[in-house]
Amino acid sequence: MSEPSEERDRSTALPILGALGVVVIVLIAFGIWTLTRGDGLTDELRVARAAVGQNDALQRGSYPDFRTYTCAAEQGVESEVLARQQRSTTTKGARYVDDVTGVAINGERATATVTYHFERSPDDKITSPMVFAREGGDWKVCSPGPS
């Protein structure tokens, strides 16, 4: 008599195990999709991120972060970069990026117009044509901004 009961229990568990298997497959597929889709940023947004990131690093006095967003040819010597930034901050206040426009990408190079203002003269907008390069897969600033 116990045999039919055991068969019924197994046949009742099969749909649940099947559904569990489908859920596991869906979760694995979602995980793979999430890992391979990237961050969704266009190259234009990556160029803008480099301009903002470099400026932020300078305002914080973080030379390692400055190097992250600056092409190798423009990294300079740490003490000189930070001293120049300190003089600028003392004279004009902090520098802010207001906008990055006109991004034009040509292979591994790009240009854009970056609009800045300084803390002590927030209404005086400075537009600066900037050059960027893709190094190590990331966009980097290759022009000195206003100081």
Side-chain angles (χ1 to χ4, degrees), residues 99-137:
D99 205 0
V100 179
T101 58
V103 177
I105 296 172
N106 185 6
E108 300 297 302
R109 306 282 291 171
T111 57
T113 300
V114 181
T115 304
Y116 299 94
H117 79 268
F118 287 93
E119 182 177 25
R120 295 202 178 113
S121 54
D123 295 329
D124 295 335
K125 307 296 183 190
I126 300 164
T127 57
S128 185
M130 304 289 281
V131 175
F132 300 81
R134 192 181 345 237
E135 292 181 356

Side-chain angles (χ1 to χ4, degrees), residues 68 71-72 108 133-140:
T68 298
C71 66
E108 300 297 302
R134 192 181 345 237
E135 292 181 356
D138 295 319
W139 286 102
K140 314 262 180 162

Side-chain angles (χ1 to χ4, degrees), residues 65-95:
D65 289 345
F66 170 78
R67 289 184 58 193
T68 298
Y69 295 104
T70 306
C71 66
E74 292 293 322
Q75 290 178 2
V77 176
E78 180 176 3
S79 60
E80 293 172 5
V81 169
L82 295 178
R84 183 173 52 247
Q85 178 59 33
Q86 184 59 41
R87 285 191 301 274
S88 175
T89 301
T90 300
T91 305
K92 299 176 181 179
R95 183 180 75 184

